[in-house]
Amino acid sequence: MVLLNSRSSWLLHLIRFIFISSCFIGQLKGVWATSESTSSTFVDDLEGFPDLYEASVMELQEGLDAGRFTSVDLVTAYFARIDEVNLKGPALRAVLELNPSALQQAAAIDAERKVSGKRSLLHGIPILLKDNIATIASEGMNTTAGSFSLLHSIVPDDAGVVKRLREAGAIILGKANLSEFAHYRGNLASGWSGRGGQTTNAYYPSADPCGSSSGSGVSASIGLVTVTLGTETDGSISCPSDRNNLAGIKPTVGLTSRAGVIPVSKHQDTVGPLCRSITDAAIVLSIIAGKDPNDNFTLAQPNVVPDYTQALNKGALVGKRIGVPREVFLNPNDTGLDPSVLAAFEEALNTIRSLGATVVDPANLPSAQQIAASKNETVVLDVDFKIQLNAWFEALLQNPSGVRSLADLIVYNNANPELEEPTNFTDQSGFIQSEATTGMNAGYFASLAFDKELGATNGIDAALKEHNLDALLLPAGAITTWIPAAIAGYPIVTVPLGFYPENVTIGSAGPLTIYPAPGVPFGLSFLGTGFSEFDLVGFAYAYEQKTLARLKRRAYPSAIPQTQLKDVIGK
Ligand SMILES: *[C@@H]1O[C@H](CO)[C@@H](O)[C@H](O)[C@H]1NC(C)=O
Ligand SMILES: *[C@@H]1O[C@H](CO)[C@@H](O)[C@H](O)[C@H]1NC(C)=O
Ligand SMILES: *[C@@H]1O[C@H](CO)[C@@H](O)[C@H](O)[C@H]1NC(C)=O
Ligand SMILES: *[C@@H]1O[C@H](CO)[C@@H](O)[C@H](O)[C@H]1NC(C)=O
Ligand SMILES: *[C@@H]1O[C@H](CO)[C@@H](O)[C@H](O)[C@H]1NC(C)=O
Ligand SMILES: *[C@@H]1O[C@H](CO)[C@@H](O)[C@H](O)[C@H]1NC(C)=O
Ligand SMILES: CC(=O)N[C@H]1CO[C@H](CO)[C@@H](O)[C@@H]1O
């Protein structure tokens, strides 16, 4: 859920990134530069079935309702697609576990559709969950945040969002790889976990998928499943959406339940969809949003959960005022954004204008400079993580590893280096820093108050109010885009914007990953005040429908799974 756990580690990362990048160019530049888009020339005989690379929820519902294929067919096809690319071929390592009950559940839900029709737009639709979202063990899957310390642990219940998905008739296809413990363990590459290894991007070999919802992002990007869920504490839905050509929604903290989600912090964690279109994301959000007595932050949301699909209006930007918090946020020294991203962003502003909105530029956050210097977020997260993770371990009905606390976990990792500390993935400084905290003291409460002030009152809300804006707009891949929304608990809706050019300078993102790289996607983020998802979904939809940016490029050839519905139906 967290991309990086402190400002200083980001700066170190950036420095390392710039330094190492110069060593990689000679080796890699141009080698894969021919993996141009195949989407325009991609003509395979699908026998009239939707192409699973791109298939939308509505397209699949149409085929399911018409009886042209079943959810059993869908699950079978997705399992085969995962098998093609997860450990074999490009070895994307996006999926951790498959649900051994999925086919049986699909058969039951198919039978129900025949008798009484569908329960919701997600009836019979396969969904993949980030592995920090709990599913009952009796179904056959583990909930581990990617860590061997939680393998075969027994969770007390399904997560709140999983209960809603099951009620809606969705089929849990499996668990997605992630940055272990939502990137809170320490300075490790995005998308790596002890159990799953290194997830990589499908748009360029060994490219960074970003995180921490890495496996969710990669799986959605090439149709290993219809839709996915991730979690964000600071950047972890927005960044993988940015980097995997996706529509992602990081909901307001308290719109979706965190009950049964392996925590970082109740003040910042939130569960949301990563999908191929804003329409699919709106469908998923409409089902997972809502109050849950097991997460009292959700009790503060408005009484009626909006039907976010009602926001899907191509004219949503007409007459709206969209602000650009340019100061700090678009400083390339601060964000590490490539000139090609900045150029595409400027073009996006013109598109926004052409869609009838007024662009207010700049529309700075009064707190921007203070946010850049603040360590308040780290103070809060370090304290929350220890308390909440200890509570997670304590609530388990069983944990065969014997780990029952953060302190135990640190010891466990050191005692099992072959599982949890392989070469280049040894760090657990985030754990150690959190373990050293001593609870909710005055400094903690002061930092919590400063976070609200910096992110909301004197940040996002101040900019919106001062310029009478409907939303803010930023490149999706910048840490400075995520932080204000993270510490405010405010939403971000991300859509595809463009792709790195063939001649981009390739850099290092970790011991096994590179970034940027040719053809790797980047996105555009709409930010707003608390519970403004309905508006943001509309704005993002208008932009998405105007540009159809996602469709301009596909993954590199061997990362595109070949199995289609025609290959499984009747077989
Ligand atoms: C996960 O847990 C279930 C039951 O708790 C077990 O049967 C299954 O084999 C486990 N999966 C893996 C990959 O170990
Ligand atoms: C949730 O419950 C806790 C403990 O019972 C309480 O301290 C907190 O104020 C509640 N939060 C909300 C948002 O209601
Ligand atoms: C970025 O850093 C360089 C070198 O320190 C400096 O010359 C330049 O003015 C900086 N750019 C911005 C926009 O701050
Ligand atoms: C928290 O933010 C306030 C306001 O910007 C600042 O004065 C203070 O130094 C920050 N504290 C930390 C620990 O960074
Ligand atoms: C890449 O190509 C573009 C367009 O030809 C050019 O403007 C840019 O400077 C080049 N960038 C690099 C890093 O060579
Ligand atoms: C560790 O990382 C370095 C570069 O960061 C790389 O040269 C080396 O091969 C890696 N070792 C392993 C075992 O992955
Ligand atoms: C579904 C799947 O392929 N899971 C694999 C994820 O990666 C681990 C580690 O390589 C494998 O053990 C799983 O089988």
Side-chain angles (χ1 to χ4, degrees):
M1 293 184 244
V2 138
L3 192 77
L4 293 153
N5 60 13
S6 78
R7 183 100 202 139
S8 54
S9 75
W10 160 251
L11 290 175
L12 282 173
H13 182 74
L14 183 63
I15 291 161
R16 190 167 128 263
F17 166 100
I18 292 165
F19 175 71
I20 300 177
S21 66
S22 53
C23 316
F24 268 85
I25 315 162
Q27 285 168 264
L28 292 169
K29 196 170 158 185
V31 172
W32 298 93
T34 51
S35 58
E36 254 298 286
S37 167
T38 49
S39 57
S40 52
T41 53
F42 186 78
V43 194
D44 197 358
D45 185 7
L46 298 170
E47 294 175 12
F49 295 111
D51 178 2
L52 293 179
Y53 187 95
E54 207 57 52
S56 69
V57 170
M58 296 305 281
E59 265 181 296
L60 295 181
Q61 284 298 354
E62 230 172 87
L64 290 164
D65 278 340
R68 298 182 52 240
F69 50 86
T70 63
S71 291
V72 167
D73 295 329
L74 276 180
V75 169
T76 307
Y78 285 133
F79 277 175
R81 290 170 71 85
I82 291 168
D83 182 61
E84 284 183 60
V85 297
N86 201 46
L87 301 182
K88 298 178 190 161
L92 302 175
R93 299 189 174 280
V95 182
L96 260 182
E97 285 188 30
L98 303 177
N99 182 357
S101 308
L103 280 168
Q104 197 188 326
Q105 288 173 16
I109 219 81
D110 281 335
E112 184 184 313
R113 179 190 299 267
K114 274 191 190 155
V115 174
S116 47
K118 59 180 179 288
R119 300 185 199 177
S120 81
L121 288 178
L122 287 187
H123 187 111
I125 297 295
I127 182 166
L128 197 67
L129 307 174
K130 186 176 181 178
D131 185 45
N132 58 356
I133 301 174
T135 50
I136 45 168
S138 57
E139 186 181 29
M141 288 184 292
N142 299 275
T143 303
T144 70
S147 169
F148 282 102
S149 71
L150 284 165
L151 189 59
H152 302 302
S153 66
I154 309 285
V155 295
D157 203 352
D158 274 334
V161 292
V162 171
K163 290 179 186 173
R164 285 178 178 270
L165 289 169
R166 293 197 204 277
E167 277 162 26
I171 295 160
I172 313 297
L173 190 76
K175 293 290 181 80
N177 201 3
L178 71 169
S179 311
E180 193 177 284
F181 281 103
H183 217 296
Y184 217 74
R185 191 177 119 175
N187 193 11
L188 296 169
S190 273
W192 180 86
S193 72
R195 286 192 60 211
Q198 178 67 59
T199 312
T200 59
N201 196 302
Y203 283 80
Y204 192 90
S206 297
D208 177 28
C210 208
S212 60
S213 310
S214 317
S216 306
V218 172
S219 299
S221 78
I222 52 174
L224 299 185
V225 67
T226 316
V227 291
T228 72
L229 286 191
T231 64
E232 174 155 336
T233 305
D234 191 333
S236 286
I237 290 173
S238 307
C239 190
S241 297
D242 172 77
R243 218 150 290 178
N244 296 289
N245 205 10
L246 297 174
I249 303 178
K250 178 237 172 183
T252 305
V253 172
L255 181 65
T256 52
S257 170
R258 292 85 44 81
V261 177
I262 300 177
V264 174
S265 162
K266 62 184 176 180
H267 294 104
Q268 294 189 198
D269 298 349
T270 183
V271 181
L274 293 93
C275 301
R276 290 180 293 277
S277 68
I278 289 290
T279 302
D280 284 358
I283 290 169
V284 175
L285 183 62
S286 301
I287 281 165
I288 62 169
K291 298 184 185 186
D292 179 354
N294 296 322
D295 174 3
N296 70 356
F297 277 59
T298 63
L299 305 181
Q301 70 180 272
N303 278 326
V304 178
V305 176
D307 175 355
Y308 296 99
T309 65
Q310 296 296 310
L312 304 172
N313 168 10
K314 288 185 188 175
L317 279 162
V318 174
K320 300 300 177 185
R321 291 171 59 82
I322 307 296
V324 183
R326 192 168 287 270
E327 181 199 29
V328 177
F329 295 100
L330 292 188
N331 175 350
N333 291 350
D334 188 59
T335 63
L337 290 174
D338 188 83
S340 55
V341 178
L342 298 174
F345 181 74
E346 295 305 321
E347 214 175 293
L349 294 180
N350 287 331
T351 305
I352 298 286
R353 288 185 192 99
S354 79
L355 289 165
T358 302
V359 172
V360 180
D361 183 8
N364 292 321
L365 308 196
S367 60
Q369 299 294 345
Q370 286 169 290
I371 292 175
S374 169
K375 291 190 168 57
N376 287 299
E377 181 184 20
T378 309
V379 171
V380 171
L381 297 188
D382 279 345
V383 170
D384 283 351
F385 181 70
K386 179 179 176 180
I387 294 170
Q388 292 186 238
L389 192 70
N390 284 343
W392 180 271
F393 281 118
E394 279 157 24
L396 293 172
L397 304 182
Q398 239 176 264
N399 192 12
S401 74
V403 172
R404 282 293 181 180
S405 66
L406 175 56
D408 290 350
L409 175 58
I410 294 167
V411 172
Y412 174 90
N413 287 345
N414 290 336
N416 294 280
E418 71 290 352
L419 298 178
E420 287 293 343
E421 295 181 0
T423 309
N424 287 338
F425 297 95
T426 58
D427 191 58
Q428 51 176 342
S429 55
F431 284 174
I432 291 165
Q433 191 174 309
S434 175
E435 178 56 25
T437 61
T438 53
M440 299 186 200
N441 55 21
Y444 167 87
F445 287 109
S447 283
L448 198 53
F450 277 128
D451 276 348
K452 285 293 162 213
E453 165 78 15
L454 295 170
T457 333
N458 199 31
I460 292 169
D461 287 333
L464 293 172
K465 198 168 162 197
E466 184 182 339
H467 302 281
N468 190 24
L469 302 173
D470 296 287
L472 300 172
L473 192 69
L474 287 163
I479 190 166
T480 41
T481 299
W482 317 318
I483 293 178
I487 60 181
Y490 282 179
I492 305 177
V493 177
T494 298
V495 272
L497 168 60
F499 304 86
Y500 281 100
E502 298 306 329
N503 66 349
V504 70
T505 301
I506 291 174
S508 169
L512 304 175
T513 44
I514 55 173
Y515 178 78
V520 170
F522 50 80
L524 186 67
S525 283
F526 291 83
L527 286 77
T529 192
F531 301 110
S532 63
E533 285 83 357
F534 191 89
D535 289 343
L536 301 182
V537 162
F539 304 155
Y541 178 78
Y543 178 84
E544 174 199 59
Q545 293 302 305
K546 175 72 180 177
T547 58
L548 298 177
R550 171 176 161 83
L551 305 181
K552 291 178 181 157
R553 187 162 181 135
R554 283 201 174 205
Y556 63 91
S558 68
I560 299 176
Q562 296 303 306
T563 306
Q564 293 286 355
L565 281 165
K566 70 173 166 74
D567 302 312
V568 303
I569 290 171
K571 305 284 151 73

